[in-house]
Amino acid sequence: MRRLCIERNILVWIACSWSIVGCESLPLDASQGSNSAFVDSVLQSMTLEDKVGEMTQLTLGSIGVGKPYKLDEPQRLDTSKAFTALVKYRVGSILNCGNHQHTPEQWHEFIEAIQKYAQQKESQVPVLYGVDAIHGPTYTTNGVMGPQQIGLAATWNDSLVRENAENTAVQVFGCGIPWNFSPVLDLGRDPRWPRFWETFGEDPLLASRMGVAMVEGYQNGEVPIAATLKHFFGYGFTLSGKDRTPAWIPERELREYFLPSFKAAIDAGAMSIMVNSGEINGIPVHTNKFMLTDLLRDELGFEGVVVTDWEDVKYLYTRHMVAKDYKEATRMSIEAGIDLCMVPIGFGFTNSLLDLVKEGSISEARIDESVRRILMMKKQLGLFETGGMPPPLEDYPDRREFEGGAAQAALESITLLKNEGQHSTDAAQPVLPLGGTGKVFVTGPTAHSLNALNGGWTGTWQGTDTLHNTPGMPHLAEALTNRLGANRVVDQRLSMDFKTADIDRVVRSIQQTRPDHVVLALGEMPYTEMPGNEEDLALYPNQKALVRAIHQTGVSIIGVFIEGRPRTFNDVEPLMDAIVMAYLPGDFGGDAIAQVLEGSYNPSGRLPFTWPRHPSSHLTYDHKHTEEISADSSTNAFNPQYQFGHGLSYSSVEVTELRLDQTAYAMSDTIHLMVLLTNMGNRSTNELVCVFSQDSVASITPSVDRLRYFDRVMVGPHESMTLNASLPVEDLSFINADLQEVVEPGAFSLRVGSKTIAFNVNE
Ligand code: BGC
């Protein structure tokens, strides 16, 4: 059904806006017959060499002039390398960017040249180009960059996620690229993991809803591109917290927590999946037939393309040590179920695969299965109709069309964690919003950095190169100056590795200027994957020292975290009067934070994760009852800095009543809830309503809370309103010891805010 949708859109789009390029020269008529008949006929015409080429993906760096990881500038194709890869080896897919952005014009030049090489091979099958455009068109100059996934999750607004993904698709496809390595559907259940910020947070339901929205945004819009679900699966929950290190996750827990987001997105029609680079229970996932075939294909019914992650077949013998050489590694990954290998440099995989088939270790029928899927994806993306050529450059969209979506997402993500005085009964004003007068001193290591706002996968892989920043977008200090006026704002730059002398300089400057508030931007500079591994989750010592020193001046501190994961800071938290989490809000993040601070926007972001109080005692909200018991046998062991779902607004909304339509339900029933909400303040508030379930007794120890439903509602000033929600009883299920998804009859309750209501589920 979804597949039909993507094809229909592609064909309408091709017909409306783009004369077909290169079709005449294709050996087969792509417009005739069914897709599978077409794909079969292409497959039949291919030689074994054509087929193993189709299963090979190389990086742009491997066919450019210069070294693969350091191409010569200006970047261009190396005619000899491109001919060898695309014509001699018939490589069917290319990825990424030579580690920097390109203008749409440059992308067109690359893609057109690559497709012209593809036309020189016998089969003429077009090349499938893929990139990581994970929070906007990462590798396109002047692309519109919105919040990273962790910030999108904090909006709890899936229609906004869909809109931003659709906008990314238009910009990426405008460059001639039909395939995106996004979304990440791993869960962020361990903030030590350096890709935490690439996730939608810790909860399976939230990640599923957001993931489906993102897939739909990429694939079902007017100009669709293929989505890739990453990284299948259980990546990001390693024992050490470090990237690509061993995870030990029993199958029951894999199914309970880590599978639902992938299953939901597969059901939504996702066209491809990328494999987890790590090992689970001692088996590298790239060799795990149970996960990649039995579960993914036979049980979940996934029919799309399974692509490896970067260099992961090679790593089977260079890092994981489960294969003795490239050939054995290739055989193991093919037997497990991969279709396309992100090699991404050299022909070790291609040559090994050819040898394996020739010597009979792998059957040609197995190769055909994968090639059929790859050709089908190319067909569904319209590549056979267009020859894979980019759409006309004149049609490249105006970035202003997409700025609104990214700015709104940034705004809705900003989460107010603390606001001293907000709930006090005395006449004292809360710290935020900043009034219309008073001086603000802005400092901190992330206050003057657009890179910090954007995070990794921005312009480059690590996102640290200022050369690729979008011109004209303000960092936080600039944005605050724009909003409050230059006469109210004083700022002082700090680098990430500032020293005691720099702290002294800032303190002196604060003492001289005597501001009303210090806006202190803390957090992290961009990173992803292994470069983001940390030894300690605590906020960096120099940042804590800065908080302490500024606190000594007596000026109130508004802490703003611009970072991809919650760093622990319980020892300096009391020294800050207000605290805001901005995540990695993208190019529009500076202004979004400024709007929240000045008060023109009433903050609506809510944490998509639990913020730990101490670096070594992290628990998620859905922990077990035994994890609440402290050493002294009291039940206060779960004591995070901030709860999952936490976030203040300037006008707080309370749950004043919770009702159910019945006191007992049958298994096939739907529970109808009525949640009465009352806005206690004088501003409209965009409130998040979360419904958590508690299973009193279950055959697998139940979690203290499980999120079963959420919605956002607008509650007017001093208004009371009722939210009606429906929850099928089957949504209270869990995975039992036999790996079955079940609801066990008995006593349950539902909690919304501080109200809980009990009911029974009958046999
Ligand atoms: C990452 C993937 C990414 C791929 C291609 C890998 O290192 O793990 O998430 O899609 O590179 O850039």
Side-chain angles (χ1 to χ4, degrees):
M1 181 61 201
R2 304 282 179 192
R3 296 266 156 69
L4 290 181
C5 186
I6 200 166
E7 280 163 50
R8 194 205 60 231
N9 287 344
I10 291 266
L11 292 175
V12 167
W13 183 79
I14 290 167
C16 299
S17 57
W18 176 24
S19 60
I20 295 171
V21 193
C23 277
E24 314 86 314
S25 57
L26 284 175
L28 291 151
D29 185 350
S31 63
Q32 297 301 307
S34 71
N35 276 355
S36 55
F38 174 79
V39 164
D40 280 343
S41 59
V42 177
L43 190 61
Q44 272 158 29
S45 71
M46 290 169 89
T47 63
L48 181 60
E49 285 74 10
D50 292 332
K51 292 176 193 174
V52 297
E54 273 302 299
M55 292 171 69
T56 306
Q57 185 184 55
L58 296 184
T59 171
L60 181 63
S62 69
I63 54 170
V65 176
K67 300 202 177 75
Y69 287 105
K70 201 171 184 340
L71 292 181
D72 293 353
E73 299 290 340
Q75 292 191 5
R76 58 207 181 278
L77 292 190
D78 180 313
T79 48
S80 149
K81 288 184 197 168
F83 183 85
T84 304
L86 299 164
V87 186
K88 182 162 173 253
Y89 278 91
R90 307 135 206 224
V91 167
S93 183
I94 302 287
L95 86 150
N96 277 0
C97 60
N99 207 23
H100 74 64
Q101 293 187 331
H102 303 289
T103 61
E105 290 79 3
Q106 288 163 331
W107 272 123
H108 277 234
E109 278 173 29
F110 279 127
I111 306 280
E112 279 169 18
I114 285 168
Q115 300 298 9
K116 282 186 186 144
Y117 279 105
Q119 287 169 9
Q120 292 179 45
K121 66 186 171 189
E122 185 68 24
S123 75
Q124 296 188 18
V125 173
V127 164
L128 177 58
Y129 209 103
V131 282
D132 298 270
I134 71 164
H135 69 123
T138 295
Y139 293 131
T140 305
T141 308
N142 222 16
V144 174
M145 305 309 292
Q148 298 281 1
Q149 274 186 221
I150 198 71
L152 289 178
T155 71
W156 298 69
N157 181 347
D158 41 6
S159 46
L160 202 49
V161 171
R162 194 176 290 107
E163 177 188 335
N164 276 281
E166 212 174 313
N167 292 346
T168 298
V170 178
Q171 295 170 80
V172 169
F173 201 91
C175 291
I177 300 169
W179 186 20
N180 195 5
F181 305 133
S182 171
V184 166
L185 294 186
D186 311 307
L187 296 187
R189 289 175 79 82
D190 184 344
R192 295 174 305 166
W193 186 43
R195 307 190 75 172
F196 183 90
W197 54 272
E198 294 184 57
T199 75
F200 287 122
E202 74 188 37
D203 179 68
L205 176 68
L206 178 58
S208 301
R209 287 261 299 267
M210 296 287 152
V212 166
M214 214 164 194
V215 168
E216 288 175 352
Y218 291 142
Q219 294 195 173
N220 299 357
E222 283 306 309
V223 183
I225 57 175
T228 311
L229 313 180
K230 308 196 298 197
H231 307 76
F232 191 78
F233 79 117
Y235 185 43
F237 198 61
T238 60
L239 219 52
S240 69
K242 303 223 165 71
D243 193 38
R244 293 173 160 91
T245 57
W248 298 92
I249 315 175
E251 185 179 343
R252 201 203 70 81
E253 278 70 14
L254 278 171
R255 288 176 180 272
E256 178 76 53
Y257 301 105
F258 300 97
L259 193 57
S261 49
F262 286 95
K263 181 176 180 333
I266 289 169
D267 292 345
M271 296 178 80
S272 66
I273 275 187
M274 191 182 291
V275 181
N276 170 0
S277 289
E279 64 171 77
I280 296 191
N281 306 334
I283 301 173
V285 181
H286 282 79
T287 67
N288 194 322
K289 177 170 174 298
F290 165 70
M291 288 173 85
L292 301 185
T293 300
D294 304 350
L295 180 63
L296 182 60
R297 302 286 185 197
D298 302 344
E299 189 180 320
L300 301 181
F302 179 66
E303 291 175 358
V305 169
V306 172
V307 59
T308 75
D309 202 343
W310 186 274
E311 231 170 351
D312 274 317
V313 172
K314 184 170 166 194
Y315 290 153
L316 294 176
Y317 76 94
T318 58
R319 288 187 179 176
H320 289 292
M321 307 324 213
V322 293
K324 65 175 186 302
D325 55 20
Y326 218 140
K327 197 164 145 189
E328 191 171 15
T330 302
R331 181 182 55 71
M332 291 171 90
S333 61
I334 295 288
E335 283 173 357
I338 66 140
D339 295 316
L340 179 60
C341 179
M342 190 182 282
V343 180
I345 295 163
F347 302 100
F349 170 82
T350 330
N351 289 329
S352 297
L353 190 53
L354 202 55
D355 287 351
L356 287 162
V357 181
K358 283 187 177 157
E359 74 188 25
S361 309
I362 290 179
S363 70
E364 194 157 347
R366 168 65 191 87
I367 300 295
D368 286 354
E369 278 174 30
S370 289
V371 177
R372 188 176 283 109
R373 291 185 195 115
I374 295 165
L375 294 176
M376 182 59 87
M377 181 162 157
K378 292 185 175 184
K379 177 74 177 86
Q380 286 167 338
L381 289 169
L383 299 191
F384 287 100
E385 282 79 2
T386 63
M389 291 294 177
L393 204 46
E394 314 81 82
D395 290 352
Y396 191 78
D398 186 327
R399 66 170 265 128
R400 282 171 299 190
E401 286 176 39
F402 315 116
E403 289 177 347
Q408 186 63 24
L411 208 48
E412 290 191 23
S413 72
I414 308 300
T415 306
L416 178 61
L417 299 172
K418 174 178 176 181
N419 193 15
E420 206 66 58
Q422 179 159 333
H423 296 291
S424 67
T425 43
D426 61 30
Q429 283 291 308
V431 180
L432 290 175
L434 298 166
T437 55
K439 207 173 262 180
V440 174
F441 190 101
V442 191
T443 190
T446 55
H448 296 83
S449 171
L450 197 56
N451 297 72
L453 290 167
N454 275 292
W457 301 109
T458 309
T460 62
W461 175 46
Q462 291 296 315
T464 43
D465 192 342
T466 52
L467 198 70
H468 300 293
N469 287 348
T470 316
M473 298 310 296
H475 51 58
L476 177 58
E478 278 171 335
L480 267 170
T481 310
N482 295 342
R483 287 268 159 193
L484 303 180
N487 54 336
R488 286 184 65 193
V489 179
V490 183
D491 71 309
Q492 222 4 271
R493 263 174 201 275
L494 280 177
S495 65
M496 207 54 188
D497 58 352
F498 62 88
K499 307 283 185 310
T500 311
D502 301 303
I503 297 179
D504 294 344
R505 169 170 57 89
V506 167
V507 166
R508 270 198 309 278
S509 183
I510 291 171
Q511 284 161 340
Q512 278 156 16
T513 39
R514 306 225 47 79
D516 297 82
H517 300 288
V518 173
V519 171
L520 184 54
L522 304 168
E524 304 175 324
M525 288 309 275
Y527 56 83
T528 185
E529 302 183 43
M530 290 164 86
N533 284 345
E534 283 282 1
E535 300 305 326
D536 189 352
L537 188 62
L539 187 64
Y540 298 108
N542 62 347
Q543 295 194 29
K544 288 188 179 182
L546 180 65
V547 175
R548 290 194 180 96
I550 296 177
H551 178 69
Q552 288 294 315
T553 66
V555 180
S556 82
I557 301 177
I558 298 163
V560 177
F561 286 107
I562 298 172
E563 61 187 15
R565 53 187 156 193
R567 309 292 298 235
T568 57
F569 68 113
N570 65 311
D571 44 349
V572 294
E573 193 267 356
L575 310 184
M576 293 191 263
D577 304 271
I579 298 174
V580 168
M581 176 56 159
Y583 314 92
L584 304 171
D587 274 346
F588 299 85
D591 189 51
I593 301 166
Q595 286 189 58
V596 165
L597 298 188
E598 69 157 2
S600 53
Y601 184 77
N602 186 11
S604 58
R606 304 289 185 260
L607 287 180
F609 52 78
T610 307
W611 194 308
R613 189 178 291 271
H614 305 285
S616 328
S617 64
H618 178 52
L619 290 176
T620 48
Y621 84 93
D622 50 2
H623 55 274
K624 302 296 181 79
H625 290 274
T626 46
E627 291 174 300
E628 303 224 305
I629 301 168
S630 300
D632 64 0
S633 294
S634 64
T635 53
N636 55 11
F638 179 64
N639 182 26
Q641 192 72 57
Y642 305 110
Q643 302 264 2
F644 173 72
H646 173 71
L648 304 170
S649 59
Y650 294 141
S651 194
S652 54
V653 170
E654 289 182 9
V655 178
T656 42
E657 205 182 328
L658 175 63
R659 273 187 274 143
L660 299 183
D661 59 338
Q662 295 177 58
T663 52
Y665 298 88
M667 288 289 177
S668 54
D669 282 351
T670 292
I671 304 168
H672 297 282
L673 300 83
M674 282 135 287
V675 186
L676 191 68
L677 301 161
T678 305
N679 188 336
M680 312 309 264
N682 56 8
R683 298 187 62 162
S684 282
T685 292
N686 177 358
E687 186 60 14
L688 170 70
V689 177
C690 285
V691 179
F692 295 96
S693 75
Q694 300 83 37
D695 193 342
S696 299
V697 177
S699 60
I700 294 289
T701 54
S703 294
V704 167
D705 259 340
R706 279 303 293 268
L707 181 71
R708 302 301 187 183
Y709 173 96
F710 64 87
D711 201 0
R712 300 220 65 136
V713 280
M714 209 60 177
V715 192
H718 300 294
E719 188 192 344
S720 285
M721 63 168 286
T722 305
L723 171 81
N724 292 305
S726 305
L727 182 70
V729 169
E730 64 181 26
D731 286 5
L732 302 172
S733 65
F734 65 95
I735 306 293
N736 71 10
D738 298 329
L739 307 179
Q740 302 300 316
E741 192 174 342
V742 294
V743 178
E744 290 174 348
F748 284 82
S749 50
L750 293 177
R751 180 178 70 75
V752 185
S754 58
K755 303 277 182 232
T756 302
I757 191 159
F759 61 97
N760 271 299
V761 172
N762 298 329
E763 201 107 12

PDB file of all heavy atoms in Angstrom, residues 581-592:
ATOM      1  N   MET A 581      16.750  23.154  28.830  1.00  0.00           N
ATOM      2  CA  MET A 581      17.417  22.177  27.974  1.00  0.00           C
ATOM      3  C   MET A 581      17.040  22.498  26.534  1.00  0.00           C
ATOM      4  O   MET A 581      15.856  22.517  26.185  1.00  0.00           O
ATOM      5  CB  MET A 581      16.971  20.750  28.327  1.00  0.00           C
ATOM      6  CG  MET A 581      17.529  19.657  27.422  1.00  0.00           C
ATOM      7  SD  MET A 581      19.346  19.656  27.338  1.00  0.00           S
ATOM      8  CE  MET A 581      19.701  17.995  26.795  1.00  0.00           C
ATOM      9  N   ALA A 582      18.062  22.744  25.718  1.00  0.00           N
ATOM     10  CA  ALA A 582      17.797  23.085  24.311  1.00  0.00           C
ATOM     11  C   ALA A 582      18.100  21.914  23.378  1.00  0.00           C
ATOM     12  O   ALA A 582      17.807  21.985  22.189  1.00  0.00           O
ATOM     13  CB  ALA A 582      18.632  24.298  23.906  1.00  0.00           C
ATOM     14  N   TYR A 583      18.733  20.839  23.884  1.00  0.00           N
ATOM     15  CA  TYR A 583      19.150  19.703  23.043  1.00  0.00           C
ATOM     16  C   TYR A 583      20.077  20.245  21.935  1.00  0.00           C
ATOM     17  O   TYR A 583      20.890  21.124  22.207  1.00  0.00           O
ATOM     18  CB  TYR A 583      17.943  18.974  22.448  1.00  0.00           C
ATOM     19  CG  TYR A 583      16.849  18.715  23.453  1.00  0.00           C
ATOM     20  CD1 TYR A 583      15.807  19.625  23.639  1.00  0.00           C
ATOM     21  CD2 TYR A 583      16.868  17.581  24.239  1.00  0.00           C
ATOM     22  CE1 TYR A 583      14.803  19.393  24.576  1.00  0.00           C
ATOM     23  CE2 TYR A 583      15.859  17.339  25.175  1.00  0.00           C
ATOM     24  CZ  TYR A 583      14.833  18.252  25.339  1.00  0.00           C
ATOM     25  OH  TYR A 583      13.855  18.020  26.257  1.00  0.00           O
ATOM     26  N   LEU A 584      19.866  19.754  20.712  1.00  0.00           N
ATOM     27  CA  LEU A 584      20.626  20.239  19.556  1.00  0.00           C
ATOM     28  C   LEU A 584      19.585  20.782  18.580  1.00  0.00           C
ATOM     29  O   LEU A 584      19.106  20.077  17.699  1.00  0.00           O
ATOM     30  CB  LEU A 584      21.434  19.090  18.938  1.00  0.00           C
ATOM     31  CG  LEU A 584      22.365  18.394  19.934  1.00  0.00           C
ATOM     32  CD1 LEU A 584      22.985  17.136  19.334  1.00  0.00           C
ATOM     33  CD2 LEU A 584      23.478  19.351  20.364  1.00  0.00           C
ATOM     34  N   PRO A 585      19.168  22.044  18.783  1.00  0.00           N
ATOM     35  CA  PRO A 585      17.961  22.537  18.103  1.00  0.00           C
ATOM     36  C   PRO A 585      18.164  22.987  16.663  1.00  0.00           C
ATOM     37  O   PRO A 585      17.195  23.367  16.001  1.00  0.00           O
ATOM     38  CB  PRO A 585      17.546  23.718  18.980  1.00  0.00           C
ATOM     39  CG  PRO A 585      18.836  24.213  19.553  1.00  0.00           C
ATOM     40  CD  PRO A 585      19.720  23.011  19.728  1.00  0.00           C
ATOM     41  N   GLY A 586      19.420  22.974  16.181  1.00  0.00           N
ATOM     42  CA  GLY A 586      19.651  23.327  14.777  1.00  0.00           C
ATOM     43  C   GLY A 586      19.830  24.816  14.572  1.00  0.00           C
ATOM     44  O   GLY A 586      19.976  25.599  15.520  1.00  0.00           O
ATOM     45  N   ASP A 587      19.777  25.213  13.286  1.00  0.00           N
ATOM     46  CA  ASP A 587      20.079  26.593  12.899  1.00  0.00           C
ATOM     47  C   ASP A 587      19.140  27.625  13.518  1.00  0.00           C
ATOM     48  O   ASP A 587      19.482  28.799  13.625  1.00  0.00           O
ATOM     49  CB  ASP A 587      19.997  26.721  11.372  1.00  0.00           C
ATOM     50  CG  ASP A 587      21.317  26.350  10.707  1.00  0.00           C
ATOM     51  OD1 ASP A 587      22.344  26.264  11.413  1.00  0.00           O
ATOM     52  OD2 ASP A 587      21.325  26.156   9.470  1.00  0.00           O
ATOM     53  N   PHE A 588      17.935  27.205  13.871  1.00  0.00           N
ATOM     54  CA  PHE A 588      16.957  28.155  14.405  1.00  0.00           C
ATOM     55  C   PHE A 588      16.913  28.103  15.933  1.00  0.00           C
ATOM     56  O   PHE A 588      16.056  28.719  16.566  1.00  0.00           O
ATOM     57  CB  PHE A 588      15.568  27.863  13.811  1.00  0.00           C
ATOM     58  CG  PHE A 588      15.574  28.001  12.313  1.00  0.00           C
ATOM     59  CD1 PHE A 588      15.973  26.938  11.509  1.00  0.00           C
ATOM     60  CD2 PHE A 588      15.255  29.204  11.708  1.00  0.00           C
ATOM     61  CE1 PHE A 588      16.029  27.072  10.135  1.00  0.00           C
ATOM     62  CE2 PHE A 588      15.310  29.344  10.336  1.00  0.00           C
ATOM     63  CZ  PHE A 588      15.708  28.267   9.544  1.00  0.00           C
ATOM     64  N   GLY A 589      17.851  27.338  16.493  1.00  0.00           N
ATOM     65  CA  GLY A 589      17.834  27.093  17.932  1.00  0.00           C
ATOM     66  C   GLY A 589      18.176  28.312  18.766  1.00  0.00           C
ATOM     67  O   GLY A 589      17.609  28.509  19.845  1.00  0.00           O
ATOM     68  N   GLY A 590      19.100  29.146  18.289  1.00  0.00           N
ATOM     69  CA  GLY A 590      19.496  30.338  19.055  1.00  0.00           C
ATOM     70  C   GLY A 590      18.275  31.207  19.292  1.00  0.00           C
ATOM     71  O   GLY A 590      17.973  31.610  20.417  1.00  0.00           O
ATOM     72  N   ASP A 591      17.536  31.449  18.211  1.00  0.00           N
ATOM     73  CA  ASP A 591      16.355  32.306  18.329  1.00  0.00           C
ATOM     74  C   ASP A 591      15.257  31.626  19.146  1.00  0.00           C
ATOM     75  O   ASP A 591      14.534  32.291  19.891  1.00  0.00           O
ATOM     76  CB  ASP A 591      15.825  32.673  16.934  1.00  0.00           C
ATOM     77  CG  ASP A 591      14.743  33.729  17.032  1.00  0.00           C
ATOM     78  OD1 ASP A 591      14.990  34.761  17.691  1.00  0.00           O
ATOM     79  OD2 ASP A 591      13.637  33.503  16.507  1.00  0.00           O
ATOM     80  N   ALA A 592      15.133  30.309  19.012  1.00  0.00           N
ATOM     81  CA  ALA A 592      14.102  29.598  19.781  1.00  0.00           C
ATOM     82  C   ALA A 592      14.381  29.737  21.282  1.00  0.00           C
ATOM     83  O   ALA A 592      13.474  30.026  22.069  1.00  0.00           O
ATOM     84  CB  ALA A 592      14.070  28.121  19.376  1.00  0.00           C
TER      85      ALA A 592
END
